[in-house]
Amino acid sequence: MTKIPYSKAPLSFIGQKRNFIKAFRHVINANIIGDGEGWTVVDVFGGSGLLAHNAKHLLPKATVVYNDFDGYVDRLNYIEDTERLRQQIYSAIEHLPRQKALSQNDKEVVIGIIKSFDGFIDVHSVANWLLFSGKQVRTLDELYSNTFYNTVRRSPYEQATGYLDGLVVTTESYTTLMARYKDQPKTLFLLDPPYLYTGQGAYNQEKYFAMVDFLYLMSLTRPPYIFFSSTKSELMDYLDYLKQLNNDDWQKLGGFERVTIQAHVNHERAYEDNMIYRF
């Protein structure tokens, strides 16, 4: 395990919660003692694994389950190929203005490099280098259909040494995972679900996260939990609705603490991110 925990994920991931890491660490330290002995922490929608990694670092005696909902472990396994491809693309366009759209000729040069690359291609990292901020794609063909920008990462990727150490890695539906642990009182749920009517996870899940999915998730949620949401989700509106009803669901989910930050998609778009928690 690393001596100093990662404060951001080794590879790009939309919504990795790095802006909440300081607050997340504070909440964990304030509410779980004894290095987490006897505790289980379940990162239900594991994403980049950043929350699970930090939880294990803070609670070395706890069992920490990382649900690799988006295939992030596979991406980490090929980080050397990703760095090699980054170097090739960066060398080809480093002389061009940063943050500006590539000409069609320069775009074709980059596409040629990608098509001739002899290793694993992490389309999500490549999209992060070449597309407008926050733009996501699932395939190389979809990538090629977009305007390219010169935003290639300048610093090299390093091996993600110790990032997954000590974690129990699984890949399964949140429904089966939460059902297995929901009746265990010393199990903390980390919850960062997709927003309603968006794809499940940033990359691999094609099905939309619909209202029924959200309601089923809330039926499985109970304290202790740490739940992430934003003004782009329905969570806070749903909790306000429960508060007005003051029913059993509110008694189960209400009484939480809240941390709020202003997040930015790019220089033009901002929104409010929330971390709510109850122990």
Side-chain angles (χ1 to χ4, degrees):
M1 188 180 300
T2 56
K3 293 182 180 180
I4 299 175
Y6 284 71
S7 294
K8 64 178 182 179
L11 291 169
S12 60
F13 190 90
I14 301 296
Q16 63 174 270
K17 296 298 174 284
R18 65 183 182 181
N19 293 333
F20 275 111
I21 284 300
K22 183 176 180 180
F24 176 76
R25 292 170 179 168
H26 174 77
V27 169
I28 293 290
N29 286 328
N31 289 280
I32 300 179
I33 61 174
D35 290 335
E37 186 171 8
W39 278 82
T40 299
V41 180
V42 182
D43 192 354
V44 176
F45 301 89
S48 69
L50 185 62
L51 297 177
H53 164 79
N54 274 267
K56 185 61 180 177
H57 192 276
L58 296 169
L59 307 171
K61 294 182 179 179
T63 297
V64 180
V65 180
Y66 165 40
N67 190 18
D68 183 22
F69 206 63
D70 298 293
Y72 195 78
V73 172
D74 286 340
R75 296 178 61 201
L76 290 178
N77 289 337
Y78 291 98
I79 199 168
E80 289 185 359
D81 281 353
T82 300
E83 169 56 18
R84 190 159 54 90
L85 180 57
R86 185 202 66 83
Q87 291 177 15
Q88 292 181 22
I89 296 175
Y90 182 76
S91 295
I93 63 174
E94 64 177 322
H95 64 286
L96 300 174
R98 296 284 297 179
Q99 311 296 330
K100 301 296 184 182
L102 301 188
S103 69
Q104 186 61 33
N105 286 340
D106 291 323
K107 178 181 177 179
E108 291 300 327
V109 168
V110 172
I111 290 176
I113 291 171
I114 297 171
K115 287 184 173 181
S116 63
F117 187 68
D118 61 354
F120 174 81
I121 298 176
D122 180 354
V123 65
H124 312 297
S125 289
V126 177
N128 184 257
W129 306 335
L130 297 172
L131 300 186
F132 193 73
S133 178
K135 179 77 172 180
Q136 298 181 54
V137 297
R138 294 174 52 83
T139 67
L140 287 176
D141 285 340
E142 188 179 352
L143 174 76
Y144 300 153
S145 70
N146 284 269
T147 300
F148 282 9
Y149 291 81
N150 182 10
T151 56
V152 180
R153 174 186 170 118
R154 289 169 166 166
S155 59
Y157 290 104
E158 298 178 357
Q159 287 294 319
T161 305
Y163 189 68
L164 300 175
D165 285 358
L167 300 181
V168 177
V169 180
T170 187
T171 303
E172 59 186 290
S173 167
Y174 74 93
T175 57
T176 58
L177 183 61
M178 292 181 72
R180 188 159 66 250
Y181 289 102
K182 72 180 181 65
D183 295 324
Q184 298 184 18
K186 293 187 73 174
T187 294
L188 169 65
F189 285 147
L190 307 181
L191 299 164
D192 185 20
Y195 303 138
L196 280 175
Y197 305 112
T198 60
Q200 292 189 28
Y203 309 132
N204 287 349
Q205 308 297 322
E206 294 183 354
K207 180 184 175 183
Y208 279 89
F209 195 77
M211 180 62 72
V212 172
D213 299 299
F214 173 78
L215 293 176
Y216 194 60
L217 169 63
M218 300 313 296
S219 75
L220 293 169
T221 302
R222 83 299 178 266
Y225 65 79
I226 301 178
F227 207 127
F228 296 88
S229 73
S230 81
T231 48
K232 297 190 292 184
S233 80
E234 302 290 334
L235 177 63
M236 299 312 299
D237 289 339
Y238 175 75
L239 292 173
D240 285 342
Y241 167 73
L242 292 184
K243 186 175 182 179
Q244 293 176 36
L245 295 179
N246 196 25
N247 58 9
D248 290 343
D249 287 336
W250 173 250
Q251 298 305 315
K252 181 181 69 169
L253 298 174
F256 52 82
E257 302 291 328
R258 180 178 177 183
V259 177
T260 299
I261 63 173
Q262 290 296 312
H264 296 268
V265 175
N266 51 52
H267 67 281
E268 296 177 345
R269 297 171 57 196
Y271 58 93
E272 183 182 272
D273 249 342
N274 297 295
M275 180 179 78
I276 67 171
Y277 59 94
R278 177 179 167 185
F279 281 80

